[in-house]
Amino acid sequence: MKRGLYYVLICLVGLTAFSCNKQLEITPVDQIPDARFWSTERDLDGSVAGAYALLRKTLSESPRVSNAADLNGYHPRHYMYGDRRGLIFASVAQDPLRSTLDADLKQNRIRTVIGGTRQWDEILFNWASFYQIVEQCNLVIENAHRVADNQFITYTREMYVAEARFIRAFTYFYMVRVWGDVPLNTKSRTTEKLARTDMNTVLDFVETELKTAEADLLKDYAQSGRNAIRATKGTVHATLAHVLAWRHKDAEAVSYATKVIDGGVYRLLTVSPGSTADKVNYMNIWKGKSAEGIFEIEFDAASGEYGTNGSLANLTLFGGVYASRKEPLWGISYIKKNVAIDGTVSWVKTRVDDPRVFFPDTTKDLRYTTNFDKAINFNPGNTFVFRKYGFAVDPVQNLFEANIVIFRVADIMLLRAECNARLLNYGPARADLDAIRNRAGLEAWTGTDADLYLEIFRERTRELLGEGHYFYDLVRTGYITEQDPEIVSTKPDMTQADFDEGAWTWPVSNRAFTDNPNIQQLRYWQRY
């Protein structure tokens, strides 16, 4: 075995992504030869890179069909948790893993109804991969002191530890948004049979860790492209803004969002009317490492990192230019109001073939004119291509390199607007909302203060479509339990009583209960 994690994990990517010109397996961290490993800055840098790689592998992981020749990841974690769960996307044809998936998701019976579907319990319900990330970070934090002071040339020991703290804190925040209460472990190689920790205790830990990490992280890197793919002070500030907004600590969330927006490292890209260069720069946000990107999971063909599994590009691209298939695997969807001749109203889940449902102004709205294209070769009913992730390495083989954009400036500005609206600070909330609308080529919003909070939610839906935010936005704003479909219709069925019992979370995999009597399902998932 080659020495250390640098050779093993730095090249690790998603299940069907390719890096270092071959697919790699994870080497368990308990196989690292400790006595020889923690000797140089290179060892420590490689260990931190391994944590980022494990994060990439985890967020892009997906159940697959049993056909070995089919490399498609039909249900990748990041987009299942953040988008598909909220019904903003749906299968175009019959889902190859479960034909009734969209109806099942709407009814929110995903443990009893979908849990038996191949790999759902093993992957989407299973938090084990997230705890591999935590384990990697724990090892770095516990062993960084073993590298001698004279070994540090490029960065400091404290910076590497701060990166590990950030990744660990981000991972716990991500898990809380998926499962609610999760076991909190801060020691490597623990054998304790840990119970689930109350999510507020976990989030207290996350806040403390992020604030501790901030002091030792760089403001920015000499290579600006690294600012989105390695932790900086701004990355911490953006994560804290989301953590605090999730907890409705709105004044503090506004403060951290402002640090990002005014920090001088990241900026909202501007697009001048008629400027082709500006339009290309805007589209490259989702290729990755733009000035707007704050934290991203990198897929870069130049480094040999690309793939099909786990990419929204693979799920949404088609039409002969961007991919060879004649229809996408996932299509944008919504729950549509139908009014019969007799006046009877029904609400029906519907595929969006014409994106004007979301973007009424198709002559001005940048999100429409750049992120959608007409297909050339397509099956009926599949006219428009959602090309936000339209960066193909090989459209015939369906290989893509678009990054997973976790946080970007437009997201943080609209998050600040949301928090200010909850605080009844309507002027600043409108200013941020209008800044995003103006960048998209639209006029200032003219609605009432009473409708502002809902409009910010709708603007986040338009601006961040397909970026893994929609379901979390439903939960954070409280619209997940809205019973009036005229206000919010596209969401799973959920009452406030269901929400209080944990219906907004995901069930825990059966594997978590193996030899651990201290783990329990939340009350809702004990029933459903």
Side-chain angles (χ1 to χ4, degrees), residues 260-277:
V260 178
I261 296 163
D262 296 343
V265 176
Y266 309 97
R267 63 183 176 86
L268 187 72
L269 294 183
T270 57
V271 182
S272 301
S275 172
T276 301

Side-chain angles (χ1 to χ4, degrees), residues 46-185:
S47 299
V48 172
Y52 285 112
L54 285 168
L55 181 61
R56 176 170 55 189
K57 175 260 180 187
T58 298
L59 297 190
S60 61
E61 192 173 22
S62 172
R64 288 170 53 190
V65 297
S66 57
N67 179 3
D70 187 347
L71 298 180
N72 295 304
Y74 291 100
H75 304 150
R77 284 184 188 269
H78 182 68
Y79 300 108
M80 284 299 299
Y81 294 154
D83 282 322
R84 187 75 181 269
R85 177 84 186 276
L87 310 182
I88 202 76
F89 285 90
S91 299
V92 171
Q94 179 173 298
D95 189 280
L97 289 167
R98 184 171 181 84
S99 61
T100 60
L101 177 60
D102 295 305
D104 297 336
L105 287 171
K106 186 177 188 308
Q107 294 171 5
N108 204 36
R109 301 291 191 264
I110 58 178
R111 185 184 72 85
T112 53
V113 176
I114 313 177
T117 300
R118 184 178 183 272
Q119 295 191 47
W120 267 60
D121 187 75
E122 297 174 19
I123 294 178
L124 293 175
F125 296 177
N126 193 349
W127 55 36
S129 292
F130 288 93
Y131 281 102
Q132 287 185 325
I133 305 167
V134 170
E135 174 74 3
Q136 182 76 6
C137 294
N138 290 343
L139 283 167
V140 171
I141 293 165
E142 292 172 9
N143 290 282
H145 72 280
R146 295 168 61 179
V147 180
D149 293 346
N150 63 6
Q151 291 294 313
F152 291 94
I153 299 171
T154 308
Y155 302 116
T156 66
R157 175 190 292 108
E158 291 75 18
M159 194 201 84
Y160 290 115
V161 171
E163 279 194 276
R165 287 188 185 279
F166 162 74
I167 298 167
R168 183 173 66 176
F170 172 81
T171 300
Y172 272 118
F173 175 52
Y174 203 105
M175 284 196 287
V176 164
R177 293 194 301 177
V178 175
W179 288 285
D181 302 340
V182 295
L184 179 60
N185 173 41

Side-chain angles (χ1 to χ4, degrees), residues 180-338:
D181 302 340
V182 295
L184 179 60
N185 173 41
T186 60
K187 299 177 182 178
S188 67
R189 299 189 174 101
T190 184
T191 58
E192 294 181 66
K193 299 183 186 301
L194 298 171
R196 299 174 79 160
T197 305
D198 180 88
M199 63 182 172
N200 287 306
T201 301
V202 178
L203 291 177
D204 287 343
F205 170 79
V206 168
E207 286 186 34
T208 300
E209 283 289 279
L210 290 171
K211 292 172 183 177
T212 300
E214 177 191 359
D216 293 315
L217 289 170
L218 298 178
K219 181 179 180 181
D220 60 359
Y221 287 87
Q223 297 171 285
S224 60
R226 286 194 170 194
N227 291 332
I229 60 173
R230 292 194 73 157
T232 65
K233 292 182 186 297
T235 317
V236 167
H237 296 157
T239 309
L240 274 167
H242 266 281
V243 172
L244 293 161
W246 186 261
R247 307 184 81 180
H248 287 196
K249 295 182 177 182
D250 291 319
E252 198 174 356
V254 166
S255 176
Y256 277 102
T258 301
K259 288 184 179 184
V260 178
I261 296 163
D262 296 343
V265 176
Y266 309 97
R267 63 183 176 86
L268 187 72
L269 294 183
T270 57
V271 182
S272 301
S275 172
T276 301
D278 284 357
K279 191 172 181 179
V280 169
N281 287 338
Y282 172 78
M283 294 175 68
N284 281 339
I285 288 172
W286 298 280
K287 186 173 185 180
K289 297 191 285 190
S290 74
E292 187 164 324
I294 300 169
F295 186 46
E296 303 172 3
I297 307 301
E298 185 178 26
F299 289 89
D300 182 5
S303 302
E305 299 161 354
Y306 49 87
T308 58
N309 195 347
S311 172
L312 200 67
N314 181 56
L315 295 168
T316 58
L317 295 176
F318 70 102
V321 177
Y322 303 96
S324 58
R325 58 176 64 95
K326 294 184 179 182
E327 62 184 18
L329 303 177
W330 284 14
I332 301 168
S333 70
Y334 72 115
I335 296 180
K336 177 183 178 182
K337 182 179 182 180
N338 284 339

Side-chain angles (χ1 to χ4, degrees), residues 30 94 122 225 331 396 432 443 459 525:
D30 61 0
Q94 179 173 298
E122 297 174 19
V396 176
D432 281 335
E443 295 79 16
E459 187 65 23
W525 299 119

